[in-house]
Amino acid sequence: FDADVLIGADGIWSNVRAQLWDQPAKGAGSGCTYSGYTVFAGEATYETSDYWETGYKVFVGPKKYFVTSDVGSGRIQWYAFLALPAGSKARESNAKYLQSLFEGWSPAIHEALQRTPDQAIEQRDLYDRPPSVLRPWSDGCVTLLGDACHPMMPNLGQGGCQALEDVFVLSPLLCSATRRSQVPALLKQYYYERLPRTAVVQGLSRIASDFIINFFDTPTKLKWGENNLPKIEKLGLISVLVALWRPILPFFFRAQFSYLYSFAP
C-alpha cells in the first residue's frame, strides 16, 4: 500500500503514533497516564419534569459528579465521574452500584439511572497525555490528528471538537500542495498552528477535572437558628473555599468558554 500522506487518527492508543515515536501504543512508556478518574455513561429516553426549561445539569460533590444532557428526540445522556483506581470494574450491576454511590443526591440522578437498562451502562477509565511540546506529531509525510496526538479529559466536551478543528486546519494546507515534496513542510506547519490551542484546551480540561473532583464540596452556609442565633452548616476547609470562590466562578467560566468558542475562521 502506497500513499502520499499518512494521517494517524486512530485514538489515544494510536499505533501510528507508536511507530512514529518508537514507543508502545499503550501501557508503560506510551506517555499516556491514568487521570485518577473513571466515567460511567448511559442514555435513556424519557421526559424530565423540567424538560423544556433545562437541557444540561451538573451535580457536584466530593470526589464525584454527575451530568445529564438533553441530546435530542427525548433522549437524555448522562455521565457519572468518580475518583477510583484504574480497573475498578468488577461488579454485577453498574446501575445499583451507582445508585448506592449517589444515595441522597438529587432525584434527577436516580431517575436517569432507573430509566437506563443496566446493559446500556458503560464504564471506561480516563487517560490523557501532556501536550506534545518537545516531540512534534508531524514527521515527514506522517502526522497525527485528534486523540492520537492530544487526548484530553472530557469535562469540557472538547475531544471531538479539537479533532474537527485539526481537520479544518489540515485540509486546506494539504489542498494547497502542488508537489509531493511540499507535504512534509505543510504537515509541520499544521503541527505548529495547532499545538498552542490544543495544549491550552488539554490544560483547561485537566484543570477542570481536577478542580471539580478535588476542590468541590457543599459550600459553608451561615443560617439563623433558634432564638435568632447564627448557625454554621458544613464547616470545613474545602466547603469554606467553595463558599468564597462561588461569586467569581461565573467570570472564570465565561472566560474559559469564550476561549473555547473563539475558533471561528
Side-chain angles (χ1 to χ4, degrees):
F1 179 79
D2 295 320
D4 295 328
V5 183
L6 174 61
I7 301 173
D10 49 345
I12 187 171
W13 312 123
S14 170
N15 286 310
V16 176
R17 184 189 67 234
Q19 294 184 57
L20 185 67
W21 290 351
D22 190 25
Q23 63 179 200
K26 189 175 183 179
S30 68
C32 301
T33 56
Y34 180 54
S35 65
Y37 318 118
T38 191
V39 61
F40 292 82
E43 185 178 297
T45 302
Y46 65 99
E47 185 173 314
T48 62
S49 58
D50 56 355
Y51 181 81
W52 300 105
E53 287 78 35
T54 308
Y56 187 81
K57 303 175 188 175
V58 181
F59 306 89
V60 183
K63 299 296 182 181
K64 55 182 176 284
Y65 67 104
F66 197 99
V67 178
T68 65
S69 179
D70 173 13
V71 293
S73 302
R75 294 174 298 131
I76 302 297
Q77 202 169 73
W78 58 263
Y79 303 91
F81 294 86
L82 307 169
L84 292 173
S88 304
K89 297 184 179 181
R91 65 189 67 87
E92 291 185 7
S93 169
N94 282 331
K96 291 180 179 178
Y97 176 70
L98 291 172
Q99 287 170 15
S100 66
L101 287 180
F102 288 95
E103 183 178 357
W105 286 49
S106 169
I109 293 176
H110 293 278
E111 181 178 23
L113 294 174
Q114 291 164 5
R115 298 267 190 172
T116 307
D118 209 334
Q119 64 272 19
I121 300 176
E122 298 181 350
Q123 180 189 1
R124 60 187 174 94
D125 294 334
L126 299 177
Y127 289 79
D128 63 0
R129 58 185 301 124
S132 302
V133 176
L134 301 178
R135 178 172 276 181
W137 65 63
S138 293
D139 187 5
C141 293
V142 180
T143 193
L144 303 174
L145 184 151
D147 281 353
C149 50
H150 48 69
M152 57 193 67
M153 297 295 288
N155 305 74
L156 302 181
Q158 285 295 303
C161 295
Q162 292 307 305
L164 291 173
E165 290 186 14
D166 287 345
V167 174
F168 195 92
V169 171
L170 180 58
S171 296
L173 287 173
L174 290 177
C175 289
S176 71
T178 57
R179 300 184 306 276
R180 288 185 177 90
S181 60
Q182 296 174 322
V183 169
L186 291 172
L187 295 184
K188 283 285 189 184
Q189 183 179 343
Y190 154 68
Y191 164 73
Y192 287 122
E193 285 189 22
R194 289 296 295 151
L195 176 63
R197 179 166 170 82
T198 57
V200 170
V201 178
Q202 278 182 290
L204 288 174
S205 299
R206 189 57 184 261
I207 289 171
S209 176
D210 289 342
F211 184 79
I212 291 174
I213 290 290
N214 295 313
F215 297 102
F216 254 92
D217 202 341
T218 305
T220 298
K221 292 182 180 180
L222 178 63
K223 289 188 174 182
W224 297 99
E226 297 180 0
N227 301 320
N228 289 325
L229 295 176
K231 179 183 178 182
I232 298 177
E233 291 186 351
K234 197 63 179 179
L235 182 61
L237 177 60
I238 300 299
S239 295
V240 171
L241 291 174
V242 172
L244 292 175
W245 62 49
R246 279 180 68 183
I248 66 172
L249 283 179
F251 299 99
F252 172 77
F253 291 142
R254 188 175 296 115
Q256 171 181 268
F257 286 107
S258 293
Y259 177 77
L260 293 178
Y261 301 140
S262 65
F263 186 85

